[in-house]
Amino acid sequence: MRIRPIDLVDVLVYLVVLGAFSQLFPAVISETFLLALLTAILLKIVLEIVVWVKAKALARIRSEGAVASRVIGVVVLVLVLPGSKFLVLELVDLVFGDAVQLGGFFLVTLLIVVLMLSRGGVRRLFARTEPRQGDGEIS
């Protein structure tokens, strides 16, 4: 797996959102900037895995295959949606201990929703502003 420029942009977006959450919500704590950066990287890795699993589950649900395969997709999706929030909370606690806290289940759910919306917005912005082949770009 290689690191693409958009992955670095995602981490910076996550860092900004995490910083905003730590300012707005007293339950979200990151003791230092470096810990916030490492938390943003951890969130990037975990959320990439969760997005991949959700995509596979949705593909199973939408497939023309057997009913059992579609049911498995639904079960995986139902488990991943709330399970991913608990996974984030537990991993952050395991890796950073009391130095980083993301609040409880509902606050981390809000954090993840805002992270994903911010990520999507920035990616759409870059997709609109990237020069197309032949638009005066020197190769």
PDB file of all heavy atoms in Angstrom, residues 4 8 13-14 27 36 39 47 49 61 88 107 126:
ATOM      1  N   ARG A   4      -0.611   8.144  -0.887  1.00  0.00           N
ATOM      2  CA  ARG A   4      -0.899   9.089  -1.956  1.00  0.00           C
ATOM      3  C   ARG A   4      -1.013  10.492  -1.365  1.00  0.00           C
ATOM      4  O   ARG A   4      -1.260  10.643  -0.166  1.00  0.00           O
ATOM      5  CB  ARG A   4      -2.217   8.712  -2.642  1.00  0.00           C
ATOM      6  CG  ARG A   4      -2.212   7.290  -3.191  1.00  0.00           C
ATOM      7  CD  ARG A   4      -3.603   6.846  -3.549  1.00  0.00           C
ATOM      8  NE  ARG A   4      -4.413   6.845  -2.338  1.00  0.00           N
ATOM      9  CZ  ARG A   4      -5.740   6.828  -2.311  1.00  0.00           C
ATOM     10  NH1 ARG A   4      -6.427   6.803  -3.424  1.00  0.00           N
ATOM     11  NH2 ARG A   4      -6.395   6.837  -1.170  1.00  0.00           N
ATOM     12  N   LEU A   8      -2.403  12.238   2.670  1.00  0.00           N
ATOM     13  CA  LEU A   8      -1.826  13.274   3.532  1.00  0.00           C
ATOM     14  C   LEU A   8      -2.817  14.416   3.755  1.00  0.00           C
ATOM     15  O   LEU A   8      -2.925  14.950   4.859  1.00  0.00           O
ATOM     16  CB  LEU A   8      -0.529  13.806   2.934  1.00  0.00           C
ATOM     17  CG  LEU A   8       0.594  12.775   2.785  1.00  0.00           C
ATOM     18  CD1 LEU A   8       1.786  13.394   2.082  1.00  0.00           C
ATOM     19  CD2 LEU A   8       0.989  12.210   4.125  1.00  0.00           C
ATOM     20  N   VAL A  13      -6.894  17.164   7.207  1.00  0.00           N
ATOM     21  CA  VAL A  13      -8.308  17.469   7.459  1.00  0.00           C
ATOM     22  C   VAL A  13      -8.730  16.871   8.795  1.00  0.00           C
ATOM     23  O   VAL A  13      -9.387  17.535   9.609  1.00  0.00           O
ATOM     24  CB  VAL A  13      -9.192  16.948   6.304  1.00  0.00           C
ATOM     25  CG1 VAL A  13     -10.668  16.986   6.670  1.00  0.00           C
ATOM     26  CG2 VAL A  13      -8.936  17.748   5.038  1.00  0.00           C
ATOM     27  N   TYR A  14      -8.343  15.629   9.053  1.00  0.00           N
ATOM     28  CA  TYR A  14      -8.676  14.974  10.323  1.00  0.00           C
ATOM     29  C   TYR A  14      -8.061  15.732  11.499  1.00  0.00           C
ATOM     30  O   TYR A  14      -8.681  15.877  12.539  1.00  0.00           O
ATOM     31  CB  TYR A  14      -8.184  13.529  10.336  1.00  0.00           C
ATOM     32  CG  TYR A  14      -8.947  12.581   9.447  1.00  0.00           C
ATOM     33  CD1 TYR A  14      -9.935  13.010   8.579  1.00  0.00           C
ATOM     34  CD2 TYR A  14      -8.669  11.225   9.470  1.00  0.00           C
ATOM     35  CE1 TYR A  14     -10.625  12.127   7.769  1.00  0.00           C
ATOM     36  CE2 TYR A  14      -9.353  10.331   8.674  1.00  0.00           C
ATOM     37  CZ  TYR A  14     -10.329  10.787   7.818  1.00  0.00           C
ATOM     38  OH  TYR A  14     -11.015   9.915   7.021  1.00  0.00           O
ATOM     39  N   ALA A  27     -14.948  16.978  26.529  1.00  0.00           N
ATOM     40  CA  ALA A  27     -14.671  15.549  26.670  1.00  0.00           C
ATOM     41  C   ALA A  27     -13.630  15.055  25.662  1.00  0.00           C
ATOM     42  O   ALA A  27     -13.074  13.972  25.822  1.00  0.00           O
ATOM     43  CB  ALA A  27     -15.961  14.742  26.507  1.00  0.00           C
ATOM     44  N   ALA A  36      -2.252  14.741  18.854  1.00  0.00           N
ATOM     45  CA  ALA A  36      -3.373  14.986  17.949  1.00  0.00           C
ATOM     46  C   ALA A  36      -3.038  14.516  16.538  1.00  0.00           C
ATOM     47  O   ALA A  36      -3.863  13.894  15.860  1.00  0.00           O
ATOM     48  CB  ALA A  36      -3.743  16.461  17.950  1.00  0.00           C
ATOM     49  N   THR A  39      -3.097  10.787  16.513  1.00  0.00           N
ATOM     50  CA  THR A  39      -4.493  10.357  16.573  1.00  0.00           C
ATOM     51  C   THR A  39      -5.144  10.488  15.202  1.00  0.00           C
ATOM     52  O   THR A  39      -5.901   9.603  14.777  1.00  0.00           O
ATOM     53  CB  THR A  39      -5.277  11.172  17.619  1.00  0.00           C
ATOM     54  OG1 THR A  39      -4.618  11.060  18.878  1.00  0.00           O
ATOM     55  CG2 THR A  39      -6.704  10.694  17.740  1.00  0.00           C
ATOM     56  N   LEU A  47     -10.381   4.358   9.739  1.00  0.00           N
ATOM     57  CA  LEU A  47     -11.521   4.709   8.892  1.00  0.00           C
ATOM     58  C   LEU A  47     -11.354   4.199   7.466  1.00  0.00           C
ATOM     59  O   LEU A  47     -12.344   3.863   6.815  1.00  0.00           O
ATOM     60  CB  LEU A  47     -11.769   6.216   8.922  1.00  0.00           C
ATOM     61  CG  LEU A  47     -12.241   6.745  10.274  1.00  0.00           C
ATOM     62  CD1 LEU A  47     -12.431   8.252  10.230  1.00  0.00           C
ATOM     63  CD2 LEU A  47     -13.515   6.057  10.729  1.00  0.00           C
ATOM     64  N   ILE A  49      -9.978   1.329   6.725  1.00  0.00           N
ATOM     65  CA  ILE A  49     -10.353  -0.079   6.845  1.00  0.00           C
ATOM     66  C   ILE A  49     -11.871  -0.208   6.946  1.00  0.00           C
ATOM     67  O   ILE A  49     -12.482  -1.051   6.282  1.00  0.00           O
ATOM     68  CB  ILE A  49      -9.647  -0.735   8.053  1.00  0.00           C
ATOM     69  CG1 ILE A  49      -8.145  -0.806   7.791  1.00  0.00           C
ATOM     70  CG2 ILE A  49     -10.214  -2.115   8.347  1.00  0.00           C
ATOM     71  CD1 ILE A  49      -7.306  -1.159   9.010  1.00  0.00           C
ATOM     72  N   ILE A  61     -24.496  -6.909  -0.725  1.00  0.00           N
ATOM     73  CA  ILE A  61     -25.938  -6.652  -0.647  1.00  0.00           C
ATOM     74  C   ILE A  61     -26.507  -6.367  -2.032  1.00  0.00           C
ATOM     75  O   ILE A  61     -27.588  -6.839  -2.379  1.00  0.00           O
ATOM     76  CB  ILE A  61     -26.223  -5.473   0.317  1.00  0.00           C
ATOM     77  CG1 ILE A  61     -25.868  -5.877   1.749  1.00  0.00           C
ATOM     78  CG2 ILE A  61     -27.672  -5.031   0.225  1.00  0.00           C
ATOM     79  CD1 ILE A  61     -25.855  -4.720   2.731  1.00  0.00           C
ATOM     80  N   VAL A  88     -12.714   2.483  17.346  1.00  0.00           N
ATOM     81  CA  VAL A  88     -11.951   3.736  17.430  1.00  0.00           C
ATOM     82  C   VAL A  88     -11.674   4.090  18.887  1.00  0.00           C
ATOM     83  O   VAL A  88     -10.543   4.401  19.262  1.00  0.00           O
ATOM     84  CB  VAL A  88     -12.695   4.885  16.710  1.00  0.00           C
ATOM     85  CG1 VAL A  88     -12.115   6.240  17.081  1.00  0.00           C
ATOM     86  CG2 VAL A  88     -12.661   4.680  15.207  1.00  0.00           C
ATOM     87  N   LEU A 107     -20.318  11.042  20.984  1.00  0.00           N
ATOM     88  CA  LEU A 107     -19.389  12.092  20.561  1.00  0.00           C
ATOM     89  C   LEU A 107     -18.424  11.570  19.494  1.00  0.00           C
ATOM     90  O   LEU A 107     -18.122  12.275  18.527  1.00  0.00           O
ATOM     91  CB  LEU A 107     -18.618  12.641  21.770  1.00  0.00           C
ATOM     92  CG  LEU A 107     -17.882  13.954  21.567  1.00  0.00           C
ATOM     93  CD1 LEU A 107     -18.794  15.025  20.982  1.00  0.00           C
ATOM     94  CD2 LEU A 107     -17.295  14.440  22.867  1.00  0.00           C
ATOM     95  N   PHE A 126     -10.982  19.263  -4.471  1.00  0.00           N
ATOM     96  CA  PHE A 126      -9.797  18.947  -5.273  1.00  0.00           C
ATOM     97  C   PHE A 126     -10.178  18.384  -6.634  1.00  0.00           C
ATOM     98  O   PHE A 126      -9.516  18.674  -7.625  1.00  0.00           O
ATOM     99  CB  PHE A 126      -8.890  17.949  -4.551  1.00  0.00           C
ATOM    100  CG  PHE A 126      -7.996  18.591  -3.530  1.00  0.00           C
ATOM    101  CD1 PHE A 126      -7.730  17.955  -2.335  1.00  0.00           C
ATOM    102  CD2 PHE A 126      -7.410  19.808  -3.755  1.00  0.00           C
ATOM    103  CE1 PHE A 126      -6.898  18.526  -1.391  1.00  0.00           C
ATOM    104  CE2 PHE A 126      -6.578  20.403  -2.818  1.00  0.00           C
ATOM    105  CZ  PHE A 126      -6.329  19.756  -1.632  1.00  0.00           C
TER     106      PHE A 126
END
